[in-house]
Amino acid sequence: MNIPGSRSAEGPSARSQVRWSLRWENELRLADHAELADFFRNSYGPTGSSNARPFEGNRSWAGARPEVRAIGYDARGVAAHVGLLRRFIKIGGVDLLVAELGLYAVRPDLEGLGISHSMRVMYPALQEFGVPFAFGTVRPTLEKHLTRLVGRQGLATLMSGIRVRSTHRDVYSNLSPIRIEDVLVVVFPLGRPISEWPAGTIIDRNGPEL
């Protein structure tokens, strides 16, 4: 669940000017992918050139490809984005269907204006996808940001002390095909209560991060 850093100032007027669209991947045209790729390069580039590299050309995804996207638009184009992919993960030997959230970004000129709070527009849609939980991972340094965004409203539970095992998006001759990360896990209880989330300190994604 890639999330660039965000400042904390609020700007209700900026939020109200963002129009949200829920788009299935098959609905996106070449022009949409090109616009999103440019958006991600500009959003992730300030955090490091390697973070922008996956979006070269017209590629609008980094690792796994989402099946549906919530895209926020304003007068300047794409303002914010979050992607969703239904997949099975394994926790402590238990296979669990989740909706993984990722590709979260806000256009740099809107950071700190409260636009990130509009990402909660995805939450009602999640409840229609027939999965027990939505799931994402972020860097531990973003714990305060995520607590403000979804934790305080009771939309999600944040879990630390968990390692996530994934594959790289490509196979490299000088790297193991598997990556293990100590991350903050964000879980949205949808069809089942958080008490039914399987116990375990290692999550196998069995594929690349969204």
Side-chain angles (χ1 to χ4, degrees):
M1 187 174 176
N2 297 310
I3 300 183
S6 177
R7 297 184 291 276
S8 58
E10 292 294 325
S13 61
R15 290 200 303 272
S16 64
Q17 294 169 8
V18 173
R19 166 180 57 87
W20 286 89
S21 176
L22 202 64
R23 305 283 299 279
W24 288 92
E25 197 70 358
N26 284 350
E27 296 174 344
L28 296 180
R29 302 163 299 170
L30 178 59
D32 295 317
H33 286 291
E35 184 180 24
L36 286 167
D38 184 64
F39 162 76
F40 285 123
R41 287 193 299 270
N42 292 332
S43 297
Y44 289 118
T47 67
S49 59
S50 62
N51 294 327
R53 194 171 300 127
F55 306 102
E56 293 177 352
N58 295 331
R59 180 180 168 125
S60 66
W61 62 96
R65 190 165 174 172
E67 61 177 319
V68 66
R69 304 168 185 253
I71 307 173
Y73 296 92
D74 65 5
R76 294 185 53 189
V78 178
H81 178 283
V82 62
L84 179 151
L85 174 67
R86 283 171 287 191
R87 71 193 311 171
F88 279 93
I89 60 176
K90 189 181 289 291
I91 311 173
V94 177
D95 283 319
L96 182 66
L97 175 65
V98 297
E100 181 171 357
L101 298 173
L103 287 176
Y104 171 89
V106 176
R107 202 173 63 225
D109 65 288
L110 295 177
E111 287 181 5
L113 297 179
I115 288 294
S116 59
H117 292 267
S118 296
M119 288 300 179
R120 288 178 292 175
V121 73
M122 178 65 92
Y123 188 74
L126 284 170
Q127 296 176 309
E128 300 178 5
F129 286 119
V131 295
F133 301 99
F135 149 86
T137 61
V138 300
R139 301 187 305 276
T141 54
L142 291 171
E143 182 171 3
K144 288 183 179 179
H145 175 64
L146 264 296
T147 298
R148 184 171 61 249
L149 179 60
V150 294
R152 289 178 183 169
Q153 289 75 26
L155 297 178
T157 296
L158 279 59
M159 304 178 183
S160 58
I162 296 176
R163 293 186 297 167
V164 177
R165 194 157 42 205
S166 311
T167 64
H168 289 283
R169 61 177 176 266
D170 298 303
V171 176
Y172 304 94
S173 60
N174 60 336
L175 290 176
S176 166
I178 305 301
R179 59 187 296 191
I180 299 176
E181 300 176 286
D182 293 306
V183 291
L184 186 69
V185 172
V186 186
V187 178
F188 295 78
L190 300 173
R192 289 159 58 182
I194 192 64
S195 60
E196 294 187 20
W197 179 263
T201 57
I202 295 181
I203 295 176
D204 278 301
R205 189 180 260 123
N206 287 316
E209 178 184 11
L210 179 61

